[in-house]
Amino acid sequence: MAELKLMNINKRYPNGFHAVKDLNIYVSDGEFLSLVGPSGCGKSTTLRMIAGLEDISEGELYIGNRLSNDIPAKDRGIAMVFQSYALFPHMTVEANITFGLKIKKVPEKIRKEKLNWVLELLDLKGLENRKPAELSGGQRQRVALGRALVLDPDVLLLDEPLSNLDAKLRVKMRTELKRIHKKLKSTIIYVTHDQAEAMTLSDRIAVMKDGKLMQIGTPSEIYNNPANKFVAGFVGSPAMNFISGELKLIDNKNYFVFEMGKIELPELLKEKIKESIKGKDVVLGIRPEDIEISFEKDNNSLTGVTSIRETLGSDDYVTVEMGNILLTVRVEPEKFIPMDEKCYLKLKGNKMHLFNKDED
Ligand SMILES: Nc1ncnc2c1ncn2[C@@H]1O[C@H](COP(=O)(O)OP(=O)(O)OP(=O)(O)O)[C@@H](O)[C@H]1O
Ligand SMILES: [Mg+2]
């Protein structure tokens, strides 16, 4: 069994820096979990503690049902691909990939088979005899991945393994990784800065900030029900729009009121207002795809002025100005929208989010 349990895990580096704070994560056997968060939030530190390359300052790590804090790295059944590949510079691609198998005294015939399997899988055929210095960054990264894959690890820790690949190869490798995961059924923890990767590959995503876990959930939970403003703003591109304002009860109806207008809030947000919203000062969040631009007034719409249109290939985005507030709105690429015109914005009621103002 290769489930992982992180219980109140903390990391304090010798210089006193508290890099990981009370982390509680349960990863089930065979799960693909992505770990995302801004640079410096503690992702690599977390992986290194799981791999046994870094001491755990406080808390308990279970691999399977074995308390593993003090088990040496080599006995954990874990393979890790590092952010900075860490290949042996004096060894060929072949020797790098099969190194771990030799250590484990795997017979040569099987070593060859596995080598050929990963060379094929990772598009490295023909490079067997090169040294790392003779490879591109993307090729090195694939060798590092190959070196981990041949070990059939119970747990695979991947620290931005595709970051040096070009866009096309990246998408190809993403599909490959999904296939590999399906086949090997390893438990995978995957660190990435690429949202599309996290969304498409993961069973669940864990979002970290400043060493703390902000939310863990399925990609759709994280995207559609962000636990706080930080997660809402971090996941999704272009980012969710935020407007600061306050809640007001007018004629017994809940309104969000801000300097440029007001909007009646749907019934569904009532529970949230009762339960988790503290005080009147709030931030309203709405994603670019959940706003509609129209040029006819509606009784529950906001008024703005269209200003810039940008194309992102499959989608177009229009910036709408409401005084100093800028909102990004997704529009269909074929749709004509005049710029510098007064427009009305309709916010999809069931897609509005409310956050406490002073909370992350
Ligand atoms: N050996 C160390 N001693 C002291 N502080 C460290 C050490 N290693 C990392 N840190 C600090 O711990 C924090 C977390 O680092 P970590 O490498 O885990 O971040 P990360 O989330 O992987 O970031 P990135 O996305 O940039 O790779 C950072 O603020 C970093 O400066
Ligand atoms: Mg890192």
Side-chain angles (χ1 to χ4, degrees):
M1 281 294 278
E3 57 177 32
L4 285 176
K5 235 183 295 171
L6 280 69
M7 298 169 72
N8 288 91
I9 296 282
N10 281 270
K11 177 66 190 179
R12 285 175 220 273
Y13 279 110
N15 66 358
F17 186 74
H18 197 175
V20 172
K21 298 165 186 157
D22 285 327
L23 203 55
N24 285 293
I25 296 181
Y26 171 77
V27 193
S28 57
D29 186 33
E31 183 170 6
F32 194 118
L33 178 86
S34 287
L35 199 53
V36 301
S39 182
C41 71
K43 305 180 294 294
S44 296
T45 304
T46 301
L47 289 197
R48 293 173 58 81
M49 285 191 285
I50 297 171
L53 304 167
E54 200 71 73
D55 286 339
I56 295 169
S57 311
E58 288 154 45
E60 292 174 340
L61 168 71
Y62 285 89
I63 302 171
N65 42 27
R66 194 158 69 139
L67 179 62
S68 301
N69 290 45
D70 298 321
I71 293 181
K74 64 175 176 45
D75 300 329
R76 292 190 186 194
I78 289 180
M80 177 159 171
V81 176
F82 298 89
Q83 205 167 355
S84 56
Y85 4 100
L87 297 175
F88 299 115
H90 58 287
M91 287 187 192
T92 62
V93 166
E94 172 169 350
N96 263 288
I97 292 175
T98 54
F99 180 77
L101 297 174
K102 273 195 187 155
I103 297 276
K104 283 189 169 177
K105 303 209 166 30
V106 172
E108 179 165 3
K109 185 165 169 283
I110 297 176
R111 288 206 307 262
K112 278 273 181 229
E113 276 170 22
K114 294 210 165 191
L115 171 72
N116 283 326
W117 170 65
V118 298
L119 290 176
E120 193 78 53
L121 182 68
L122 303 176
D123 225 345
L124 290 167
K125 270 252 145 59
L127 302 176
E128 300 86 317
N129 297 317
R130 296 221 197 148
K131 301 260 174 73
E134 299 161 332
L135 299 174
S136 74
Q139 290 165 338
R140 278 178 223 165
Q141 213 155 28
R142 280 177 281 151
V143 174
L145 190 57
R147 191 174 56 174
L149 288 179
V150 292
L151 295 172
D152 284 332
D154 296 332
V155 179
L156 189 54
L157 305 177
L158 303 172
D159 200 347
E160 302 191 46
L162 309 184
S163 60
N164 279 303
L165 307 184
D166 65 52
K168 198 168 157 220
L169 191 53
R170 217 182 153 118
V171 172
K172 183 179 162 223
M173 286 293 299
R174 188 166 90 197
T175 314
E176 281 306 325
L177 263 182
K178 205 163 183 154
R179 242 167 38 101
I180 291 167
H181 177 241
K182 210 171 155 189
K183 191 152 167 253
L184 298 184
K185 299 187 177 70
S186 318
T187 306
I188 296 183
I189 305 188
Y190 187 79
V191 169
T192 180
H193 275 110
D194 186 317
Q195 306 242 346
E197 256 169 49
M199 295 299 265
T200 51
L201 284 171
S202 321
D203 295 314
R204 287 186 308 155
I205 299 176
V207 186
M208 285 179 75
K209 179 187 178 231
D210 296 336
K212 283 188 261 186
L213 182 66
M214 293 278 113
Q215 187 174 3
I216 184 164
T218 63
S220 109
E221 278 164 4
I222 298 273
Y223 192 81
N224 296 314
N225 272 319
N228 53 43
K229 185 166 165 261
F230 173 79
V231 174
F234 186 78
V235 175
S237 169
M240 186 183 279
N241 296 291
F242 293 118
I243 311 172
S244 297
E246 57 180 294
L247 293 177
K248 273 198 177 142
L249 204 59
I250 306 172
D251 296 336
N252 225 7
K253 286 180 181 151
N254 284 301
Y255 279 86
F256 171 78
V257 183
F258 67 114
E259 53 182 310
M260 302 301 293
K262 71 177 193 318
I263 199 130
E264 189 189 335
L265 296 171
E267 284 292 312
L268 316 6
L269 281 175
K270 269 201 182 139
E271 279 307 303
K272 173 137 191 185
I273 294 169
K274 260 193 271 164
E275 281 169 17
S276 56
I277 299 294
K278 307 166 194 105
K280 299 186 299 193
D281 288 341
V282 293
V283 174
L284 179 97
I286 183 98
R287 295 204 186 272
E289 67 265 33
D290 299 323
I291 306 178
E292 248 172 72
I293 296 188
S294 108
F295 293 89
E296 278 159 47
K297 197 163 168 42
D298 180 288
N299 60 8
N300 196 28
S301 60
L302 302 174
T303 310
V305 175
T306 56
S307 77
I308 302 170
R309 182 172 187 144
E310 289 164 286
T311 299
L312 248 83
S314 57
D315 298 305
D316 281 15
Y317 292 89
V318 171
T319 303
V320 174
E321 295 177 6
M322 293 188 296
N324 290 327
I325 301 167
L326 304 180
L327 294 186
T328 306
V329 181
R330 184 168 84 186
V331 299
E332 284 162 25
E334 315 77 54
K335 192 168 174 183
F336 172 73
I337 290 174
M339 291 297 116
D340 302 310
E341 287 288 331
K342 182 172 175 179
C343 67
Y344 301 98
L345 301 178
K346 196 156 174 54
L347 279 47
K348 283 187 197 159
N350 58 350
K351 300 285 184 173
M352 286 188 224
H353 302 267
L354 279 183
F355 304 104
N356 289 308
K357 182 164 175 273
D358 298 321
E359 211 173 63
D360 275 324

